[in-house]
Amino acid sequence: MHRWLVMALVGILGFLQYQLWLGNGGWQDLQRVERRVVVQDEANAPMRERNARLAAEVTDLKTGLDAIEERARSDMGMVRSDEQFFWVPGVAIQNELIGLNAALVTPPTPGLPNADEPADE
């Protein structure tokens, strides 16, 4: 009888060890999940950096006008009224900005007064 009890306990211990090392939710599953976590963290790192840059840009846009002006200049080709826009042929710039700025800058027509200068009366 004592022998059967020992064999039963060894069998239960073997079953529990099998569940611990090889069963569902065991050691192998834990190692697999940890590897997936490392891979996912590596994939998320650039996204975290991008989110931090976007958060800083949002903060700048909410608090300061310099960031808004910089964004308007780079994205939409903004030229202030006290500035002059010069287009130099052969210098590569984005085509959209040429179209936007060309609409803002018109050459003076000979014989007509310039819009910036007062007309002679």
Side-chain angles (χ1 to χ4, degrees), residues 95-116:
N95 289 335
E96 305 92 39
L97 296 180
I98 292 173
L100 287 171
N101 290 327
L104 296 174
V105 178
T106 56
T109 308
L112 294 177
N114 192 346
D116 295 333

Side-chain angles (χ1 to χ4, degrees), residues 9-29:
L9 290 176
V10 168
I12 291 173
L13 180 64
F15 176 73
L16 291 176
Q17 287 294 314
Y18 172 80
Q19 289 295 322
L20 174 66
W21 297 104
L22 304 173
N24 189 17
W27 184 257
Q28 286 182 344
D29 283 348

Side-chain angles (χ1 to χ4, degrees), residues 58-113:
V58 166
T59 302
D60 286 345
L61 289 173
K62 284 182 178 180
T63 59
L65 296 177
D66 292 336
I68 295 172
E69 182 177 340
E70 177 185 340
R71 187 75 183 247
R73 286 177 177 276
S74 65
D75 291 351
M76 299 185 299
M78 181 188 95
V79 178
R80 291 189 302 201
S81 61
D82 61 341
E83 297 177 332
Q84 292 182 357
F85 173 77
F86 294 97
W87 178 59
V88 180
V91 175
I93 61 173
Q94 295 177 354
N95 289 335
E96 305 92 39
L97 296 180
I98 292 173
L100 287 171
N101 290 327
L104 296 174
V105 178
T106 56
T109 308
L112 294 177

